[in-house]
């Protein structure tokens, strides 16, 4: 039985009070929804709105997902380097491509050090979201598709115990995700997205049918269609689908020590596929359910892509507890004005101006008051001529004071301008200047990872020369590849002049030259 916990509308609204609404994005079929006041409504197009919290997902097929057991506790900096090395060593990444590597601990067990890695190609992600970013400018939350089901346990829709299997079909991808005790442990894409199922159906019957007609029948009648020819061929396709799913389930149970999977959830981007849960139960022997949760969110459509609902709930989870939801977005919104470097400089400039001008303003205000009073005396000159002469004398004295204060003000302005220039220079040094010594320290520490020793180091302006010795030539070349990738933004050029072998000591010597930006 599926237990559903409903959060009150007031509690939900409080979690997004800093934003007017949430925008959920399926970039693969350009489908967009807007969530506000506990209602989810389809949008025809994306528009830039600074008050909109934008959420999207990366499909399973666009990710390389793996589990790694580190074995012991490491700091965040050490974890980053560890996973970078392991990803290239064990997952066969192409060194000619640029990858984004994100990771998350698999569970909250303090004695466990198993992490899930989510790796994507930068170019592929950029191509997928280029149209979206042209309109929204940023993506606040980007979630790997298999992790969207985590919110079902976070919001107590499902109990975080036992093992559950999720199978979801989209137009461009279909994937299996396995959770154990409420934690994601494994996922794999199938070779049967909805588009692929359509193509395989056409290949089976030997002719192309109208794509629209095919999906109308699939969405309305599913596997229980009255069209016998259609049903027979569709059954053949889904027999292959579940054969592949069965292999995945068997592997996951063996690899992750799962005794049995208690529930199977099946869903589709367009609608529940009628008869699919029965087919899944008969084929796999696992109690099967339609993946159809709406979380008591109002909507006028007869069916909404479940990933849209899951994005909304995952977004609310992330706003409440950011550290518990993996965000792989590299397109965040800029920080608020007071946290930007430019904003802090402007605020400092204004405060300094007010302080510097405080004393002159103290004298200028009475001066302007006297001028106004002088105008009043002139208008009463005929009746108060005696008093006017006295006041004119006082005014003359005050004008002399004003002249003196104006000179003082000019001196203060000159002092202010010099201090403002000093502040600008100090700010530039603190924020923008990269200390070469600090870089060289971090750069040299990496020698230990590759069992290298440093015989001598010298520098001239922005160039460093390191004389490196090693017992194996490959450690030197591996080190050069590693630092080239890691410090790509800090170095202008890296080159090894030569690597020589000393037969007497059986040691390789290399002279490495690094040009610092």
């Amino acid at each position: 039985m599926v237990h559903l916990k409903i959060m009150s509308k007031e509690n939900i609204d409080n979690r997004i009070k800093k934003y007017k609404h949430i925008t959920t994005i399926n970039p693969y079929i350009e489908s967009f929804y807007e969530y506000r006041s506990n209602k989810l409504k389809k949008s025809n197009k994306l528009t830039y709105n600074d008050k909109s919290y934008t959420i999207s997902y990366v499909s399973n097929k666009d990710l390389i997902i793996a589990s790694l057991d580190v074995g012991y506790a490491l700091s965040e900096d050490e974890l980053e380097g560890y996973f970078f090395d392991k990803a290239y060593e064990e997952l066969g990444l192409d060194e000619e491509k640029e990858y984004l590597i994100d990771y998350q601990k698999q569970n909250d067990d303090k004695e466990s050090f198993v992490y899930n890695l989510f790796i994507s190609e930068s170019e592929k992600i950029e191509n997928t979201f280029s149209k979206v970013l042209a309109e929204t400018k940023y993506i606040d939350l980007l979630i790997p598709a298999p992790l969207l089901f985590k919110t079902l346990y976070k919001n107590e829709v499902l109990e975080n115990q036992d093992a559950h299997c999720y199978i979801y079909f989209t137009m461009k991808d279909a994937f299996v995700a396995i959770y154990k005790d409420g934690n994601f442990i494994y996922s794999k894409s199938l070779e049967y997205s909805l588009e692929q199922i359509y193509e395989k159906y056409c290949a089976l019957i030997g002719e192309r049918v109208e794509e629209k007609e095919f999906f109308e029948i699939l969405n309305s009648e599913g596997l229980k269609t009255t069209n016998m020819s259609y049903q027979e061929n569709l059954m053949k396709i889904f027999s292959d689908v579940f054969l592949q799913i069965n292999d995945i389930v068997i592997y996951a149970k063996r690899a992750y020590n799962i005794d049995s999977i208690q529930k199977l959830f099946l869903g589709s981007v367009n609608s529940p596929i009628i008869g699919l849960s029965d087919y899944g139960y008969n084929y796999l022997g696992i109690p099967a359910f339609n993946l159809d949760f709406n979380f008591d969110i109002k909507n006028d459509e007869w069916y909404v892509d479940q990933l849209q609902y899951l994005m909304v709930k995952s977004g609310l989870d992330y706003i409440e507890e950011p550290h518990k939801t993996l965000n792989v977005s590299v397109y965040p919104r800029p920080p608020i004005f007071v946290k930007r470097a430019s904003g802090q400089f402007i605020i400092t400039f204004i405060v300094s101006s007010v302080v510097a001008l405080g004393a002159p303003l103290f004298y200028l205000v009475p001066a302007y008051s006297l001028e106004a009073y002088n105008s009043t005396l002139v208008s009463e000159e005929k009746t108060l001529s005696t008093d006017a002469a006295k006041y004119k004398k006082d005014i003359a004295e005050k004008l002399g004071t004003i002249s003196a204060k104006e000179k003082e003000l000019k001196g203060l302005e000159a002092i202010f301008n010099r201090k403002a220039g000093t502040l600008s220079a100090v700010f530039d040094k603190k924020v923008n200047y990269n200390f070469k010594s600090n870089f060289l320290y971090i750069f040299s520490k990496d020698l230990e990872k590759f069992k290298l020793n440093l015989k001598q180091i010298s520098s001239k302006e922005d160039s460093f020369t390191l004389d490196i010795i090693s017992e194996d030539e490959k450690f030197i070349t591996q080190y050069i590849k590693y630092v080239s990738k890691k410090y790509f933004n800090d170095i202008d050029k890296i080159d090894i002049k030569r690597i020589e072998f000393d037969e007497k000591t059986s040691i390789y010597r290399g002279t490495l030259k690094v040009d610092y930006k």
Side-chain angles (χ1 to χ4, degrees), residues 409-442:
L409 176 61
K410 289 182 179 179
L412 290 171
E413 287 178 341
I415 293 171
F416 167 75
N417 290 332
R418 288 196 297 272
K419 289 187 175 181
T422 301
L423 284 173
S424 298
V426 170
F427 176 84
D428 185 67
K429 289 290 185 182
K430 286 188 174 182
V431 175
N432 298 322
Y433 183 74
N434 289 323
F435 289 98
K436 288 184 282 187
S437 60
N438 183 53
F439 167 75
L440 186 57
Y441 169 73
I442 297 172

Side-chain angles (χ1 to χ4, degrees), residues 120-136:
S120 57
E121 293 182 25
S122 299
E123 184 179 1
K124 188 176 292 185
I125 296 297
E126 185 175 344
N127 291 338
T128 299
F129 290 95
S130 58
K131 289 185 179 180
V132 170
L133 291 169
E135 301 296 338
T136 64

